[in-house]
Amino acid sequence: MTETIPLVAEEGGLRIGGTRIRLEHVLDLYDEGRSPEEIALAYSLPLDAVYAVLQVHRWALRHPEEVAAYRAEVEGRAREAEARAQAYRPQALLARLGRLRQGG
C-alpha cells in the first residue's frame, strides 16, 4: 500500500493540496521544534496531511542537495516576482502617496 503525499506543484513551488500553505512553511515550523499537532493547529490542516508532508521532510534530510536547489529556485522566483512588482509601480502615484503620508 502506498500513501499519497498531499503536495501540488505550482509555479512558485510546492504547496499542500487543497490549501494555500507552502511546503516550506510546514517544514520551517517542524525545524523550529513544533510538533505535528501544533503545525496542524497553526495552519488548520488535517493531522494526517501534516504527517504525510513530514515524510517529505525525512526524504529531504537524506537529500540535502536537492532540497537546497529547490529552496534556491523558490527564493529566486520570489526575488524575480518582487523585481517585476517594483518595476510596475507608477512613480507619480508613489510620489503622491508619499506626499499624503507627509501631510502635504
Side-chain angles (χ1 to χ4, degrees):
M1 179 163 83
T2 56
E3 183 177 349
T4 302
I5 307 276
L7 295 174
V8 176
E10 58 182 20
E11 185 179 332
L14 298 171
R15 65 178 171 77
I16 315 281
T19 75
R20 299 184 69 159
I21 299 164
R22 301 183 50 83
L23 169 64
E24 51 270 17
H25 295 146
V26 171
L27 297 181
D28 287 345
L29 284 183
Y30 186 74
D31 288 342
E32 290 173 8
R34 302 283 182 91
S35 71
E37 292 79 9
E38 289 173 317
I39 296 168
L41 286 172
Y43 288 119
S44 298
L45 291 170
L47 188 57
D48 61 337
V50 173
Y51 276 109
V53 168
L54 291 178
Q55 291 300 319
V56 172
H57 189 271
R58 288 180 184 86
W59 175 88
L61 291 174
R62 294 188 308 272
H63 301 88
E65 297 85 14
E66 293 175 55
V67 172
Y70 167 76
R71 286 191 181 244
E73 181 181 334
V74 168
E75 289 170 8
R77 287 182 183 172
R79 283 191 300 275
E80 289 172 7
E82 178 64 23
R84 284 192 307 269
Q86 290 289 337
Y88 286 112
R89 291 188 177 171
Q91 296 306 315
L93 177 59
L94 290 174
R96 186 170 148 223
L97 289 172
R99 284 193 305 271
L100 291 174
R101 283 191 209 125
Q102 295 170 2

XYZ file of all heavy atoms in Angstrom:
820
model
N 0.854 -1.173 0.000
C 0.000 0.000 0.000
C 0.901 1.238 0.000
O 1.838 1.347 0.769
C -0.888 -0.014 1.241
C -1.783 1.180 1.342
S -3.140 0.946 2.490
C -2.398 1.327 4.028
N 0.604 2.178 -0.878
C 1.364 3.418 -0.936
C 0.497 4.562 -0.453
O -0.708 4.595 -0.680
C 1.844 3.718 -2.367
O 0.724 3.751 -3.224
C 2.848 2.692 -2.842
N 1.148 5.492 0.218
C 0.452 6.676 0.726
C 0.774 7.850 -0.178
O 1.912 8.061 -0.554
C 0.916 6.967 2.146
C 0.203 8.127 2.774
C 0.640 8.336 4.213
O 1.324 7.481 4.761
O 0.285 9.374 4.765
N -0.242 8.603 -0.525
C -0.043 9.767 -1.365
C 0.327 10.964 -0.507
O -0.347 11.267 0.477
C -1.330 10.084 -2.157
O -1.666 8.941 -2.927
C -1.136 11.263 -3.064
N 1.411 11.638 -0.868
C 1.814 12.866 -0.185
C 0.969 13.986 -0.791
O 0.973 14.165 -2.005
C 3.308 13.157 -0.391
C 4.156 11.953 -0.018
C 3.715 14.417 0.348
C 4.510 11.780 1.401
N 0.253 14.738 0.029
C -0.691 15.736 -0.496
C -0.018 17.037 -0.942
O -0.280 18.103 -0.406
C -1.622 15.966 0.684
C -0.744 15.771 1.880
C 0.213 14.670 1.485
N 0.884 16.939 -1.934
C 1.567 18.128 -2.425
C 1.169 18.413 -3.858
O 0.967 17.499 -4.652
C 3.083 17.950 -2.349
C 3.658 17.826 -0.947
C 5.141 17.509 -1.018
C 3.422 19.095 -0.152
N 1.079 19.694 -4.163
C 0.731 20.142 -5.505
C 1.857 21.056 -5.986
O 2.238 21.990 -5.284
C -0.609 20.916 -5.495
C -0.927 21.480 -6.864
C -1.733 20.019 -4.995
N 2.377 20.753 -7.177
C 3.418 21.603 -7.757
C 2.752 22.764 -8.470
O 1.774 22.599 -9.191
C 4.259 20.797 -8.735
N 3.289 23.953 -8.227
C 2.811 25.146 -8.919
C 4.029 25.971 -9.303
O 5.165 25.615 -8.945
C 1.843 25.945 -8.051
C 2.427 26.380 -6.741
C 1.416 27.123 -5.878
O 0.211 27.003 -6.077
O 1.881 27.838 -4.989
N 3.815 27.045 -9.988
C 4.936 27.841 -10.483
C 5.899 28.260 -9.374
O 7.101 28.231 -9.544
C 4.430 29.082 -11.216
C 5.532 29.886 -11.843
C 5.029 31.086 -12.587
O 3.893 31.058 -13.087
O 5.781 32.065 -12.669
N 5.383 28.628 -8.237
C 6.229 29.112 -7.156
C 6.819 28.040 -6.272
O 7.600 28.332 -5.381
N 6.471 26.789 -6.457
C 6.997 25.713 -5.630
C 5.923 24.704 -5.291
O 4.976 24.491 -6.051
N 6.030 24.081 -4.126
C 5.086 23.051 -3.695
C 4.197 23.590 -2.586
O 4.649 24.308 -1.702
C 5.846 21.826 -3.182
C 6.736 21.116 -4.191
C 7.581 20.059 -3.496
C 5.906 20.485 -5.292
N 2.928 23.219 -2.643
C 2.006 23.582 -1.567
C 1.204 22.351 -1.183
O 1.129 21.378 -1.934
C 1.099 24.740 -1.975
C 0.159 24.425 -3.089
C -0.765 25.612 -3.415
N -1.502 25.340 -4.619
C -2.558 24.537 -4.703
N -3.008 23.937 -3.632
N -3.168 24.335 -5.849
N 0.591 22.408 -0.005
C -0.254 21.324 0.466
C -1.541 21.344 -0.356
O -2.190 22.386 -0.462
C -0.612 21.496 1.956
C 0.590 21.874 2.782
C -1.378 20.288 2.465
C 1.556 20.872 3.179
N -1.903 20.216 -0.936
C -3.093 20.136 -1.785
C -4.348 20.611 -1.065
O -4.559 20.317 0.104
N -5.155 21.392 -1.770
C -6.401 21.901 -1.214
C -6.223 23.102 -0.306
O -7.176 23.549 0.316
N -4.987 23.594 -0.194
C -4.715 24.758 0.658
C -3.802 25.719 -0.091
O -3.345 25.435 -1.186
C -4.001 24.359 1.966
O -2.626 24.054 1.689
C -4.666 23.176 2.639
N -3.506 26.828 0.553
C -2.524 27.778 0.005
C -1.226 27.722 0.800
O -0.371 28.572 0.677
C -3.125 29.186 0.053
C -4.396 29.287 -0.793
C -4.899 30.660 -0.814
N -3.942 31.447 -1.590
C -4.192 32.590 -2.161
N -5.384 33.119 -2.035
N -3.286 33.243 -2.836
N -1.075 26.700 1.627
C 0.075 26.578 2.513
C 1.218 25.894 1.776
O 1.068 24.810 1.231
C -0.308 25.810 3.785
C -1.407 26.593 4.489
C 0.902 25.588 4.676
C -2.171 25.889 5.504
N 2.356 26.551 1.805
C 3.520 26.048 1.087
C 4.277 25.023 1.933
O 4.278 25.106 3.163
C 4.404 27.213 0.693
C 3.614 28.201 -0.197
C 4.392 29.336 -0.698
N 5.633 28.957 -1.318
C 5.764 28.543 -2.587
N 4.709 28.467 -3.357
N 6.938 28.216 -3.065
N 4.885 24.097 1.254
C 5.640 23.030 1.907
C 6.657 23.587 2.889
O 6.754 23.127 4.025
C 6.343 22.177 0.850
C 7.377 21.177 1.361
C 6.716 20.124 2.230
C 8.116 20.541 0.204
N 7.397 24.608 2.476
C 8.456 25.112 3.347
C 7.923 25.717 4.637
O 8.605 25.716 5.658
C 9.394 26.078 2.622
C 8.736 27.190 1.886
C 8.395 26.854 0.435
O 8.371 25.684 0.046
O 8.133 27.805 -0.299
N 6.671 26.214 4.645
C 6.105 26.755 5.881
C 5.930 25.654 6.922
O 6.242 25.842 8.100
C 4.769 27.450 5.616
C 4.915 28.652 4.747
N 3.947 29.026 3.854
C 5.910 29.556 4.612
C 4.343 30.109 3.217
N 5.540 30.451 3.660
N 5.440 24.505 6.480
C 5.272 23.369 7.397
C 6.637 22.885 7.867
O 6.857 22.651 9.060
C 4.482 22.232 6.708
C 4.493 20.965 7.554
C 3.053 22.673 6.437
N 7.581 22.744 6.944
C 8.905 22.253 7.305
C 9.631 23.221 8.233
O 10.339 22.797 9.151
C 9.735 21.987 6.048
C 9.196 20.898 5.125
C 10.121 20.708 3.935
C 8.969 19.597 5.863
N 9.448 24.521 8.022
C 10.088 25.508 8.893
C 9.584 25.377 10.335
O 10.375 25.419 11.281
C 9.857 26.935 8.383
C 10.669 27.254 7.137
O 11.619 26.508 6.822
O 10.333 28.258 6.471
N 8.264 25.217 10.506
C 7.733 25.049 11.864
C 8.269 23.776 12.502
O 8.622 23.758 13.686
C 6.203 25.022 11.849
C 5.492 26.355 11.661
C 3.983 26.161 11.734
C 5.938 27.382 12.675
N 8.343 22.714 11.728
C 8.869 21.455 12.251
C 10.335 21.618 12.659
O 10.749 21.156 13.715
C 8.713 20.346 11.205
C 9.089 18.992 11.726
C 8.257 18.300 12.601
C 10.282 18.398 11.344
C 8.609 17.055 13.088
C 10.639 17.146 11.816
C 9.804 16.479 12.691
O 10.148 15.242 13.164
N 11.113 22.314 11.827
C 12.522 22.552 12.138
C 12.688 23.424 13.386
O 13.711 23.334 14.068
C 13.241 23.202 10.956
C 13.457 22.229 9.805
O 13.370 20.997 10.028
O 13.696 22.701 8.680
N 11.685 24.259 13.681
C 11.708 25.085 14.896
C 11.356 24.280 16.141
O 11.389 24.805 17.249
C 10.726 26.242 14.765
C 11.126 27.291 13.762
C 10.037 28.333 13.542
O 9.015 28.332 14.277
O 10.199 29.151 12.625
N 10.965 23.016 15.951
C 10.640 22.167 17.091
C 9.164 21.994 17.355
O 8.781 21.409 18.373
N 8.323 22.502 16.462
C 6.880 22.327 16.652
C 6.480 20.883 16.375
O 7.020 20.236 15.484
C 6.099 23.233 15.712
C 6.399 24.696 15.837
C 5.721 25.315 17.063
N 5.975 26.722 17.136
C 5.203 27.662 16.599
N 4.123 27.332 15.947
N 5.533 28.926 16.725
N 5.518 20.400 17.112
C 5.028 19.036 16.907
C 4.070 19.010 15.715
O 3.535 20.062 15.309
C 4.283 18.558 18.156
O 3.040 19.250 18.283
N 3.826 17.834 15.140
C 2.847 17.741 14.051
C 1.480 18.279 14.465
O 0.797 18.936 13.678
C 2.805 16.248 13.739
C 4.165 15.752 14.126
C 4.529 16.564 15.343
N 1.102 18.032 15.720
C -0.191 18.529 16.203
C -0.215 20.054 16.226
O -1.217 20.672 15.845
C -0.482 17.964 17.602
C -0.735 16.473 17.638
C 0.537 15.616 17.572
O 1.655 16.162 17.669
O 0.405 14.402 17.420
N 0.869 20.673 16.664
C 0.944 22.137 16.689
C 0.906 22.715 15.275
O 0.268 23.741 15.038
C 2.227 22.596 17.388
C 2.220 22.350 18.879
C 3.561 22.645 19.521
O 4.608 22.257 18.960
O 3.554 23.268 20.602
N 1.575 22.046 14.345
C 1.570 22.501 12.954
C 0.171 22.400 12.374
O -0.308 23.319 11.702
C 2.577 21.694 12.112
C 3.998 21.943 12.621
C 2.455 22.041 10.637
C 5.037 20.992 12.072
N -0.505 21.296 12.650
C -1.877 21.114 12.157
C -2.782 22.229 12.682
O -3.584 22.794 11.931
C -2.410 19.744 12.568
N -2.634 22.568 13.954
C -3.438 23.644 14.531
C -3.060 25.003 13.946
O -3.930 25.820 13.655
C -3.273 23.681 16.051
C -3.978 22.577 16.824
C -3.577 22.621 18.300
C -5.484 22.701 16.672
N -1.776 25.239 13.777
C -1.314 26.538 13.279
C -1.858 26.835 11.887
O -2.179 27.979 11.572
C 0.214 26.579 13.267
N -1.955 25.810 11.051
C -2.379 26.018 9.665
C -3.755 25.426 9.357
O -4.159 25.399 8.198
C -1.347 25.431 8.705
C -0.076 26.230 8.637
C 1.127 25.660 8.989
C -0.081 27.562 8.231
C 2.309 26.392 8.925
C 1.077 28.298 8.167
C 2.270 27.703 8.515
O 3.427 28.428 8.454
N -4.463 24.954 10.378
C -5.783 24.327 10.180
C -5.704 23.210 9.135
O -6.512 23.140 8.213
C -6.830 25.361 9.773
O -6.981 26.318 10.785
N -4.711 22.353 9.307
C -4.525 21.224 8.400
C -4.954 19.939 9.085
O -4.837 19.811 10.309
C -3.045 21.082 8.032
C -2.439 22.152 7.158
C -0.920 21.985 7.100
C -3.030 22.075 5.764
N -5.403 18.961 8.304
C -5.653 17.645 8.897
C -4.322 17.052 9.376
O -3.296 17.186 8.708
C -6.225 16.820 7.749
C -6.614 17.802 6.695
C -5.773 19.016 6.905
N -4.342 16.416 10.522
C -3.118 15.869 11.095
C -2.471 14.844 10.170
O -1.245 14.816 10.039
C -3.411 15.253 12.466
C -2.211 14.799 13.270
C -1.216 15.939 13.493
C -2.672 14.230 14.611
N -3.276 14.034 9.488
C -2.688 13.042 8.586
C -1.946 13.704 7.426
O -0.939 13.190 6.945
C -3.719 12.038 8.093
C -4.856 12.658 7.306
O -5.127 13.858 7.461
O -5.492 11.922 6.534
N -2.400 14.884 6.988
C -1.694 15.613 5.927
C -0.345 16.100 6.435
O 0.655 16.046 5.715
C -2.535 16.784 5.424
N -0.301 16.564 7.685
C 0.970 17.017 8.260
C 1.944 15.855 8.342
O 3.107 15.975 7.950
C 0.756 17.657 9.647
C 2.091 17.980 10.307
C -0.092 18.913 9.533
N 1.484 14.708 8.821
C 2.361 13.545 8.902
C 2.838 13.118 7.517
O 4.008 12.767 7.337
C 1.667 12.377 9.612
C 1.760 12.463 11.111
C 0.650 12.764 11.881
C 2.972 12.253 11.761
C 0.737 12.848 13.268
C 3.073 12.335 13.137
C 1.953 12.631 13.887
O 2.047 12.715 15.252
N 1.968 13.182 6.541
C 2.364 12.821 5.173
C 3.432 13.782 4.661
O 4.416 13.362 4.041
C 1.146 12.812 4.255
N 3.255 15.064 4.918
C 4.236 16.054 4.472
C 5.560 15.864 5.208
O 6.636 16.036 4.625
C 3.686 17.485 4.664
C 4.767 18.525 4.482
C 2.547 17.726 3.691
N 5.505 15.469 6.466
C 6.745 15.243 7.206
C 7.525 14.054 6.654
O 8.740 13.966 6.840
C 6.464 15.090 8.689
C 5.990 16.376 9.372
C 5.688 16.128 10.834
C 6.980 17.511 9.199
N 6.844 13.176 5.938
C 7.571 12.112 5.227
C 8.486 12.731 4.180
O 9.579 12.249 3.939
C 6.599 11.119 4.578
C 5.833 10.278 5.560
C 6.765 9.436 6.418
O 7.744 8.879 5.933
N 6.466 9.372 7.703
N 8.031 13.824 3.567
C 8.868 14.565 2.627
C 10.089 15.099 3.371
O 11.210 15.081 2.851
C 8.082 15.719 1.967
C 8.997 16.596 1.137
C 6.952 15.165 1.130
N 9.881 15.561 4.591
C 10.982 16.093 5.387
C 12.027 15.003 5.629
O 13.229 15.260 5.517
C 10.459 16.637 6.715
C 11.476 17.377 7.502
N 12.299 16.752 8.396
C 11.812 18.687 7.526
C 13.103 17.650 8.945
N 12.831 18.822 8.443
N 11.586 13.823 5.953
C 12.531 12.730 6.178
C 13.315 12.438 4.903
O 14.510 12.193 4.941
C 11.804 11.502 6.688
C 11.335 11.684 8.120
C 10.601 10.466 8.655
N 10.099 10.730 9.973
C 8.924 11.309 10.234
N 8.136 11.671 9.254
N 8.534 11.509 11.473
N 12.627 12.484 3.773
C 13.308 12.321 2.488
C 14.300 13.462 2.294
O 15.432 13.258 1.873
C 12.283 12.306 1.349
C 12.912 12.267 0.004
C 13.284 11.166 -0.702
C 13.266 13.399 -0.797
N 13.854 11.534 -1.889
C 13.852 12.905 -1.970
C 13.160 14.769 -0.630
C 14.327 13.734 -2.977
C 13.624 15.604 -1.634
C 14.194 15.083 -2.787
N 13.871 14.678 2.640
C 14.715 15.851 2.449
C 15.998 15.758 3.271
O 17.061 16.194 2.821
C 13.940 17.115 2.822
N 15.920 15.178 4.454
C 17.117 15.037 5.278
C 18.142 14.114 4.618
O 19.346 14.269 4.823
C 16.748 14.494 6.662
C 15.960 15.456 7.545
C 15.530 14.750 8.828
C 16.770 16.697 7.854
N 17.660 13.183 3.813
C 18.561 12.269 3.111
C 19.039 12.833 1.778
O 19.928 12.273 1.159
C 17.864 10.924 2.893
C 17.561 10.172 4.178
C 17.054 8.765 3.934
N 15.933 8.678 3.017
C 14.640 8.768 3.358
N 14.308 8.966 4.618
N 13.693 8.672 2.461
N 18.448 13.944 1.303
C 18.779 14.535 0.003
C 18.971 16.049 0.121
O 18.265 16.832 -0.512
C 17.670 14.222 -1.015
C 17.457 12.762 -1.216
N 16.604 12.024 -0.443
C 18.010 11.900 -2.101
C 16.623 10.774 -0.836
N 17.470 10.655 -1.828
N 19.943 16.491 0.929
C 20.077 17.930 1.195
C 20.407 18.762 -0.047
O 19.984 19.912 -0.135
C 21.200 18.008 2.229
C 21.939 16.725 2.094
C 20.939 15.702 1.644
N 21.140 18.194 -1.000
C 21.488 18.966 -2.193
C 20.243 19.298 -3.013
O 20.083 20.417 -3.503
C 22.498 18.212 -3.073
C 23.827 17.955 -2.400
C 23.821 16.685 -1.540
O 22.886 15.859 -1.668
O 24.739 16.534 -0.727
N 19.360 18.329 -3.151
C 18.136 18.560 -3.915
C 17.238 19.571 -3.218
O 16.608 20.411 -3.862
C 17.397 17.246 -4.143
C 18.156 16.295 -5.061
C 17.476 14.955 -5.195
O 16.284 14.928 -5.568
O 18.143 13.940 -4.922
N 17.189 19.503 -1.894
C 16.375 20.451 -1.133
C 16.953 21.854 -1.253
O 16.219 22.826 -1.455
C 16.266 20.017 0.342
C 15.589 21.096 1.180
C 15.516 18.707 0.441
N 18.269 21.969 -1.153
C 18.901 23.284 -1.282
C 18.637 23.869 -2.661
O 18.346 25.065 -2.783
C 20.405 23.170 -1.021
N 18.686 23.041 -3.690
C 18.404 23.521 -5.049
C 16.948 23.972 -5.166
O 16.657 25.015 -5.777
C 18.708 22.431 -6.067
N 16.024 23.217 -4.578
C 14.602 23.594 -4.602
C 14.394 24.932 -3.901
O 13.752 25.833 -4.430
C 13.758 22.505 -3.934
C 12.354 22.951 -3.630
C 11.397 23.043 -4.633
C 11.975 23.309 -2.340
C 10.106 23.479 -4.359
C 10.697 23.736 -2.052
C 9.769 23.815 -3.073
O 8.497 24.255 -2.797
N 14.954 25.076 -2.702
C 14.778 26.324 -1.958
C 15.397 27.504 -2.700
O 14.826 28.587 -2.725
C 15.350 26.202 -0.553
C 14.476 25.366 0.362
C 14.939 25.492 1.799
N 14.134 24.686 2.678
C 13.358 25.185 3.634
N 13.289 26.472 3.820
N 12.649 24.383 4.396
N 16.553 27.298 -3.308
C 17.189 28.374 -4.073
C 16.322 28.771 -5.264
O 16.179 29.961 -5.572
C 18.575 27.935 -4.547
N 15.718 27.790 -5.916
C 14.833 28.085 -7.052
C 13.613 28.875 -6.598
O 13.241 29.873 -7.218
C 14.395 26.788 -7.723
C 13.496 27.005 -8.908
C 13.050 25.697 -9.541
O 13.755 24.691 -9.418
O 11.970 25.699 -10.168
N 13.008 28.463 -5.500
C 11.827 29.159 -4.979
C 12.196 30.590 -4.576
O 11.478 31.539 -4.893
C 11.214 28.381 -3.791
C 10.180 29.217 -3.050
C 10.596 27.085 -4.285
N 13.326 30.751 -3.895
C 13.757 32.087 -3.474
C 14.071 32.963 -4.685
O 13.754 34.148 -4.703
C 14.969 31.988 -2.558
C 14.630 31.412 -1.197
C 15.857 31.079 -0.357
O 16.986 31.432 -0.753
O 15.667 30.458 0.697
N 14.668 32.370 -5.707
C 14.953 33.119 -6.934
C 13.683 33.589 -7.608
O 13.596 34.737 -8.066
N 12.690 32.730 -7.666
C 11.404 33.122 -8.259
C 10.749 34.233 -7.452
O 10.139 35.142 -8.015
C 10.481 31.917 -8.363
C 10.883 30.952 -9.440
C 9.909 29.820 -9.528
N 10.327 28.858 -10.519
C 9.755 27.707 -10.710
N 8.706 27.359 -9.975
N 10.186 26.879 -11.628
N 10.867 34.156 -6.136
C 10.285 35.204 -5.289
C 10.980 36.541 -5.539
O 10.321 37.580 -5.633
C 10.386 34.814 -3.815
N 12.309 36.515 -5.664
C 13.045 37.758 -5.950
C 12.656 38.313 -7.321
O 12.488 39.521 -7.477
C 14.550 37.505 -5.889
C 15.093 37.420 -4.471
C 16.612 37.446 -4.445
N 17.212 36.349 -5.179
C 17.445 35.132 -4.695
N 17.122 34.860 -3.450
N 18.009 34.201 -5.435
N 12.499 37.435 -8.312
C 12.087 37.886 -9.644
C 10.696 38.509 -9.603
O 10.459 39.546 -10.224
C 12.098 36.711 -10.627
C 13.480 36.220 -10.984
C 13.440 34.934 -11.791
O 12.344 34.488 -12.198
O 14.528 34.367 -12.008
N 9.776 37.882 -8.868
C 8.421 38.424 -8.759
C 8.438 39.783 -8.076
O 7.727 40.709 -8.493
C 7.524 37.447 -7.993
N 9.253 39.930 -7.038
C 9.358 41.220 -6.347
C 9.936 42.283 -7.275
O 9.464 43.416 -7.299
C 10.228 41.084 -5.097
C 10.437 42.384 -4.346
C 9.171 42.985 -3.764
O 8.188 42.260 -3.526
O 9.153 44.213 -3.567
N 10.925 41.910 -8.063
C 11.529 42.862 -9.003
C 10.510 43.294 -10.055
O 10.428 44.478 -10.405
C 12.754 42.251 -9.666
N 9.704 42.349 -10.549
C 8.659 42.703 -11.525
C 7.630 43.624 -10.894
O 7.193 44.585 -11.515
C 7.984 41.442 -12.072
C 8.819 40.686 -13.085
C 8.016 39.619 -13.816
N 7.328 38.700 -12.925
C 7.839 37.551 -12.469
N 9.054 37.199 -12.805
N 7.145 36.771 -11.680
N 7.264 43.344 -9.649
C 6.284 44.197 -8.964
C 6.841 45.595 -8.768
O 6.132 46.590 -8.963
C 5.899 43.578 -7.617
N 8.106 45.691 -8.402
C 8.737 47.005 -8.218
C 8.769 47.777 -9.531
O 8.581 48.989 -9.547
C 10.168 46.839 -7.693
C 10.258 46.346 -6.273
C 9.832 47.381 -5.254
O 9.852 48.573 -5.513
N 9.422 46.918 -4.092
N 9.011 47.081 -10.630
C 9.111 47.739 -11.938
C 7.776 48.325 -12.383
O 7.744 49.299 -13.137
C 9.621 46.748 -12.972
N 6.658 47.780 -11.917
C 5.344 48.252 -12.352
C 4.741 49.311 -11.446
O 3.648 49.784 -11.681
C 4.364 47.072 -12.462
C 4.641 46.225 -13.670
C 5.115 44.935 -13.531
C 4.462 46.721 -14.955
C 5.384 44.154 -14.645
C 4.723 45.947 -16.066
C 5.184 44.669 -15.904
O 5.453 43.902 -17.001
N 5.446 49.711 -10.431
C 4.905 50.734 -9.533
C 4.998 52.094 -10.202
O 6.083 52.563 -10.517
C 5.668 50.747 -8.213
C 5.395 49.504 -7.402
C 5.994 49.615 -6.050
N 5.653 48.424 -5.287
C 6.163 48.138 -4.129
N 7.025 48.957 -3.557
N 5.819 47.043 -3.502
N 3.867 52.743 -10.417
C 3.886 54.063 -11.061
C 4.484 55.112 -10.122
O 4.015 55.307 -9.004
C 2.421 54.343 -11.360
C 1.651 53.449 -10.454
C 2.528 52.271 -10.148
N 5.519 55.762 -10.595
C 6.255 56.728 -9.770
C 5.395 57.918 -9.347
O 5.529 58.407 -8.228
C 7.506 57.190 -10.510
C 8.501 56.065 -10.757
C 8.887 55.315 -9.491
O 9.154 55.918 -8.463
N 8.884 53.995 -9.552
N 4.505 58.376 -10.228
C 3.660 59.526 -9.871
C 2.748 59.170 -8.696
O 2.567 59.980 -7.772
C 2.833 59.967 -11.075
N 2.183 57.989 -8.713
C 1.315 57.565 -7.620
C 2.108 57.418 -6.334
O 1.666 57.848 -5.265
C 0.613 56.256 -7.966
C -0.271 55.649 -6.879
C -1.381 56.620 -6.480
C -0.849 54.326 -7.328
N 3.289 56.845 -6.432
C 4.116 56.694 -5.243
C 4.497 58.056 -4.659
O 4.492 58.244 -3.437
C 5.373 55.885 -5.567
C 5.139 54.398 -5.856
C 6.435 53.739 -6.300
C 4.569 53.695 -4.648
N 4.814 59.002 -5.527
C 5.146 60.344 -5.051
C 3.943 60.974 -4.359
O 4.068 61.602 -3.306
C 5.619 61.214 -6.218
N 2.767 60.802 -4.952
C 1.544 61.355 -4.363
C 1.273 60.711 -3.002
O 0.929 61.389 -2.032
C 0.376 61.124 -5.306
C -0.887 61.790 -4.841
C -1.943 61.738 -5.924
N -3.215 61.648 -5.275
C -4.205 60.848 -5.634
N -4.076 60.082 -6.688
N -5.325 60.832 -4.976
N 1.437 59.401 -2.918
C 1.234 58.717 -1.642
C 2.230 59.210 -0.606
O 1.893 59.367 0.562
C 1.359 57.197 -1.825
C 0.219 56.534 -2.575
C 0.549 55.081 -2.866
C -1.082 56.634 -1.798
N 3.460 59.449 -1.016
C 4.467 59.993 -0.118
C 4.059 61.345 0.426
O 4.230 61.640 1.611
N 3.506 62.188 -0.456
C 3.050 63.499 -0.009
C 1.900 63.366 0.966
O 1.805 64.108 1.934
C 2.630 64.357 -1.205
C 3.806 64.912 -1.989
C 3.358 65.999 -2.956
N 2.310 65.592 -3.858
C 2.504 65.021 -5.053
N 3.724 64.782 -5.485
N 1.485 64.706 -5.833
N 0.994 62.418 0.724
C -0.139 62.234 1.627
C 0.328 61.801 3.000
O -0.204 62.232 4.010
C -1.116 61.201 1.046
C -1.886 61.617 -0.194
C -2.698 60.455 -0.738
C -2.805 62.796 0.114
N 1.328 60.922 3.055
C 1.859 60.460 4.336
C 2.552 61.581 5.100
O 2.556 61.621 6.303
C 2.844 59.311 4.115
C 2.161 58.016 3.832
C 3.146 56.874 3.898
N 2.665 55.849 2.999
C 3.337 55.303 2.016
N 4.590 55.664 1.788
N 2.815 54.392 1.252
N 3.139 62.504 4.332
C 3.853 63.603 4.963
C 2.906 64.750 5.336
O 3.325 65.720 5.927
C 4.939 64.151 4.011
C 6.029 63.145 3.724
C 6.950 63.605 2.625
O 6.796 64.691 2.090
N 7.916 62.768 2.286
N 1.641 64.608 4.958
C 0.657 65.634 5.307
C 0.557 66.731 4.278
O -0.049 67.764 4.528
N 1.116 66.511 3.095
C 1.114 67.557 2.070
C 0.136 67.289 1.066
O -0.641 67.747 0.432
